[in-house]
Amino acid sequence: MALNPPLNRKLRMGLVGGGPGSFIGPVHGIAAEFDHRCTLTAGVFSSDPERSKKAAPSYGVDESRTYGNYEAMLDAEARLPDDERVDFISIATPNHTHYEIAKAAVEAGFNVVCDKPITLDLAQAESLLKTIENSDVVFALTHNYTGYPMIRQAREMIQAGELGKINAIRCQYIQGWLAGTSEDDGGQLSAWRTDPAKSGAAGTFGDIATHAFQLGRYVTGELPESVSCHLKTFVPGRRLDDYGTAVIRYQDGAIGVLTASQVTHGRENDLELEVDGTLASLKWRQQSPNELVVRRAGQPHQIYTRSPGTGTMTPLAEASSRLPAGHPEGFYGAFANLYNAVFDDITLRASGAAFERRDTVYPNVYDGVEGMLFIQQCVASSEQDAAWMPLNYAEARQ
């Protein structure tokens, strides 16, 4: 098959979400443009057309490419010539809207970058998976912590066998921003994140435990078998969990322990991962993201740092670094690394070349479906006094 000419230009982005008061919308915009491979060209920045129009200048988007709803944007952009329309749609909206926007974008032929969790429930995730598999679009899910160079270092070290057989995975994500507050306080973020109709069946476990679960999967490659979970709601009147812990059995015999909280006073975004192997163990913490601690029995502890050019980094970790050693890289750079990998596949697709859908550097639709199964089974387990629930997708769907 003859290939198309290479894409010697910046990609064009259409953003859904990110209006006044949004945290993650502007992050998407900054991360996508971080390495000058993309320009935010069009958008629907609010479900209110007037608010959308008012937000556009802050993103540098012309009024003519600012739309009142996502349907109007998809229709108008699809009608534009190939050299003008957006190349992909980024979805930075509340959970309950992900499915309808992503499905419509895929059916219109646009590549998609979607916030996690992928949909409101597992049935929607499975439906979206079928739509994507029947298309030729690139689809990515923004579990953005997979973009940190030292997380990618840990992944490649484990793939190379440096830790031996994996025995245990411990991951925690501890926040405190919902402690001492209630939905009656009128906060925009807390209001929808604790509303089952907008957030889904889980609160904290849907919001941040999915990050912790997916990070362990990404780094180790271990396949989950079953889960026992206990969820708790500490703030009176709150309808969804704000704390929880889960034990995970993996198919190869490893065991995982995961804790997530949004009501621990004084904690910010304390995401921490530890992996035990038969030859070594490692530890990474997001609040010190440029360091990876590796321990081996009877030997001094090793601290790997993000130090490109020194020969101590794995190829993917080195390629994910921008600055010399000692200059910290952080959240935006990690998010941008995810976007860069997506851009590579979008470019391949545009050239007519084949691209990988399942085994990607970035989290994909299959990770999204697995994440929704994780949420569903954790909630089901908690409702049945921490009963064991299957996490193996084929077994769980029987």
Side-chain angles (χ1 to χ4, degrees), residues 289-322:
N290 293 286
E291 295 183 353
L292 177 68
V293 180
V294 178
R295 302 182 177 99
R296 296 176 176 86
Q299 298 183 30
H301 298 172
Q302 292 179 296
I303 301 178
Y304 288 80
T305 60
R306 193 200 55 74
S307 49
T310 63
T312 62
M313 299 183 73
T314 63
L316 181 59
E318 178 123 6
S320 302
S321 298
R322 295 169 181 79

Side-chain angles (χ1 to χ4, degrees), residues 253-392:
I255 191 166
V257 179
L258 188 157
T259 301
S261 171
Q262 291 178 314
V263 290
T264 303
H265 286 271
R267 299 292 277 274
E268 295 168 344
N269 275 280
D270 200 351
L271 173 60
E272 183 176 277
L273 173 70
E274 291 188 275
V275 180
D276 294 348
T278 54
L279 299 179
S281 66
L282 61 77
K283 178 179 179 179
W284 175 87
R285 189 182 182 202
Q286 197 219 188
Q287 292 183 187
S288 302
N290 293 286
E291 295 183 353
L292 177 68
V293 180
V294 178
R295 302 182 177 99
R296 296 176 176 86
Q299 298 183 30
H301 298 172
Q302 292 179 296
I303 301 178
Y304 288 80
T305 60
R306 193 200 55 74
S307 49
T310 63
T312 62
M313 299 183 73
T314 63
L316 181 59
E318 178 123 6
S320 302
S321 298
R322 295 169 181 79
L323 301 176
H327 294 288
E329 292 190 25
F331 187 83
Y332 284 119
F335 219 116
N337 284 335
L338 187 152
Y339 263 106
N340 272 329
V342 175
F343 293 163
D344 289 342
D345 277 355
I346 291 176
T347 302
L348 280 175
R349 181 201 175 199
S351 73
F355 64 90
E356 179 61 48
R357 173 157 283 160
R358 186 180 288 271
D359 186 20
T360 58
V361 175
Y362 53 86
N364 54 47
V365 64
Y366 301 99
D367 297 300
V369 173
E370 185 179 78
M372 292 312 304
L373 176 63
F374 171 74
I375 294 171
Q376 173 184 287
Q377 300 299 72
C378 284
V379 171
S381 172
S382 185
E383 289 175 344
Q384 298 181 46
D385 198 24
W388 285 97
M389 293 290 170
L391 271 186
N392 177 309

Side-chain angles (χ1 to χ4, degrees), residues 26-96:
V27 169
H28 275 273
I30 292 169
E33 295 184 324
F34 204 78
D35 293 302
H36 310 292
R37 297 183 64 186
C38 162
T39 299
L40 178 49
T41 307
V44 182
F45 305 108
S46 172
S47 56
D48 180 330
E50 286 302 313
R51 286 168 60 88
S52 179
K53 187 182 298 184
K54 289 180 180 179
S58 66
Y59 288 100
V61 174
D62 188 84
E63 184 175 337
S64 66
R65 303 290 286 275
T66 305
Y67 302 95
N69 55 63
Y70 75 86
E71 296 97 334
M73 180 173 74
L74 295 177
D75 181 65
E77 292 294 322
R79 293 173 185 272
L80 292 174
D82 289 348
D83 61 353
E84 293 183 29
R85 70 169 65 117
V86 296
D87 296 291
F88 69 98
I89 304 295
S90 288
I91 302 171
T93 57
N95 301 354
H96 69 293

Side-chain angles (χ1 to χ4, degrees), residues 5-265:
L7 272 181
N8 294 319
R9 62 170 175 81
K10 290 184 179 182
L11 296 177
R12 293 180 289 269
M13 173 185 187
L15 176 62
V16 185
S22 169
F23 154 63
I24 204 64
V27 169
H28 275 273
I30 292 169
E33 295 184 324
F34 204 78
D35 293 302
H36 310 292
R37 297 183 64 186
C38 162
T39 299
L40 178 49
T41 307
V44 182
F45 305 108
S46 172
S47 56
D48 180 330
E50 286 302 313
R51 286 168 60 88
S52 179
K53 187 182 298 184
K54 289 180 180 179
S58 66
Y59 288 100
V61 174
D62 188 84
E63 184 175 337
S64 66
R65 303 290 286 275
T66 305
Y67 302 95
N69 55 63
Y70 75 86
E71 296 97 334
M73 180 173 74
L74 295 177
D75 181 65
E77 292 294 322
R79 293 173 185 272
L80 292 174
D82 289 348
D83 61 353
E84 293 183 29
R85 70 169 65 117
V86 296
D87 296 291
F88 69 98
I89 304 295
S90 288
I91 302 171
T93 57
N95 301 354
H96 69 293
T97 64
H98 291 180
Y99 172 71
E100 62 183 37
I101 301 170
K103 187 172 187 293
V106 171
E107 290 176 339
F110 291 103
N111 304 297
V112 174
V113 177
C114 183
D115 253 0
K116 61 83 218 160
I118 190 169
T119 52
L120 191 67
D121 57 35
L122 181 59
Q124 286 185 349
E126 291 173 325
S127 173
L128 182 58
L129 171 61
K130 291 178 182 178
T131 301
I132 292 168
E133 287 185 329
N134 289 328
S135 76
D136 67 346
V137 306
V138 175
F139 183 95
L141 193 68
T142 55
H143 284 294
N144 50 289
Y145 303 108
T146 61
Y148 279 108
M150 301 316 292
I151 281 293
R152 294 179 168 187
Q153 171 96 6
R155 174 183 166 101
E156 290 189 304
M157 290 176 68
I158 289 172
Q159 288 176 342
E162 292 192 39
L163 265 66
K165 183 180 183 296
I166 301 303
N167 289 336
I169 304 166
R170 293 180 299 281
C171 198
Q172 65 174 24
Y173 199 157
I174 310 296
Q175 299 175 340
W177 69 285
L178 284 178
T181 66
S182 72
E183 286 59 71
D184 294 335
D185 296 336
Q188 178 180 337
L189 291 177
S190 62
W192 78 257
R193 289 179 190 273
T194 57
D195 181 353
K198 295 181 178 180
S199 185
T204 291
F205 250 56
D207 189 21
I208 60 174
T210 47
H211 274 311
F213 170 71
Q214 201 278 330
L215 193 65
R217 286 277 292 110
Y218 181 83
V219 168
T220 68
E222 292 291 317
L223 298 173
E225 179 182 87
S226 55
V227 64
S228 172
C229 181
H230 183 74
L231 303 178
K232 180 76 173 180
T233 305
F234 283 106
V235 175
R238 181 164 289 158
R239 290 176 287 174
L240 293 174
D241 57 281
D242 49 29
Y243 191 99
T245 187
V247 178
I248 302 166
R249 292 170 177 159
Y250 291 91
Q251 295 178 26
D252 202 29
I255 191 166
V257 179
L258 188 157
T259 301
S261 171
Q262 291 178 314
V263 290
T264 303
H265 286 271

